[in-house]
Amino acid sequence: MSSGFFQTLKTETEAARSRMTDAPIFAACQQGTIDNATYLAFLTQAYHHVKHTVPLLMACGSKLNEDYEWLRQALGHYIEEEMGHQAWILNDISACGGDPDPVRNNQGQGSVCAAIELMVSYLYHQIDRRNPMGLFGMVWVLEGTSVSIGGQIAQQIQQVLGLPDNAMTYLKSHSELDQSHIQTFESLMNRIDDPNDQRAIIESANMVYGLYGQMLASLPIPRLH
């Protein structure tokens, strides 16, 4: 199965993925040069895209034609698993001493950054005006990243900041949950043979890698004195 579209998707987005992982935050996590403000800033932006995951999946499913009924059913299962994850993030914010209210209300320091605002807007635009299949580009970026480096990053953050497990539910659960998602995702992608749909997924993945990478690059990292 690895010779199918999934492998093409990985290959065609590898350069964008590599640029995203050049964001200073990855080295800072490894070196232990992050603080609570860094983690809270990440959780804030995570909230502002995760709260759109289920609405985006629903919108995508509603736009698929009957040839993709098998994919709509898979989306239904995925929606069930993704329900309410934004609430985990708000709980994590509280557990590490942050205030979830400005985040929930998109105010002040809890506001969405430009890159995440653009990323979410781009995905709705893909679904509404271009090709709903483009949403699977986002799925690949976020779940692929979560599986490949999410668990390791979560461990580093928890160690450096000395946080309890209940401050890490979003990052830790996703790195575990997304392991099984990626296997399912691979088998779904390998069934997609329409070149237009394949191109839409690749283009969206590259766009999301770029915008998500901009968000990561903007996270505050304390200066060493």
Side-chain angles (χ1 to χ4, degrees), residues 9 47 80 114 139 152 155 159-160 174 208:
L9 175 61
Y47 175 80
E80 281 180 23
V139 176
Q152 180 192 354
Q155 211 172 7
Q159 267 180 335
V160 172
H174 267 247
V208 172

Side-chain angles (χ1 to χ4, degrees), residues 147-169:
V147 164
S148 59
I149 50 180
Q152 180 192 354
I153 293 289
Q155 211 172 7
Q156 289 164 349
I157 290 171
Q158 186 168 19
Q159 267 180 335
V160 172
L161 301 180
L163 293 170
D165 286 341
N166 68 340
M168 304 297 303
T169 49

Side-chain angles (χ1 to χ4, degrees), residues 23-128:
I25 187 64
F26 292 103
C29 285
Q30 279 184 318
Q31 294 156 11
T33 55
I34 57 166
D35 61 12
N36 222 40
T38 313
Y39 182 48
L40 284 170
F42 168 75
L43 288 175
T44 297
Q45 299 312 319
Y47 175 80
H48 287 303
H49 70 80
V50 170
K51 71 181 180 184
H52 289 283
T53 302
V54 168
L56 282 165
L57 291 166
M58 288 176 160
C60 174
S62 74
K63 292 274 188 174
L64 296 179
N65 66 39
E66 60 189 15
D67 293 340
Y68 276 133
E69 185 57 37
W70 57 271
L71 191 53
R72 198 182 349 257
Q73 288 184 15
L75 279 173
H77 294 301
Y78 191 38
I79 286 165
E80 281 180 23
E81 293 203 332
E82 293 294 316
M83 283 278 188
H85 288 194
Q86 69 270 29
W88 297 357
I89 300 174
L90 295 176
N91 292 337
D92 286 349
I93 289 170
S94 293
C96 57
D99 182 359
D101 286 338
V103 181
R104 187 188 290 109
N105 297 320
N106 193 21
Q107 290 175 338
Q109 280 201 305
S111 298
V112 64
C113 71
I116 293 299
E117 184 86 85
L118 287 169
M119 183 180 101
V120 171
S121 302
Y122 169 82
L123 292 164
Y124 280 116
H125 176 68
Q126 286 294 101
I127 292 166
D128 288 340

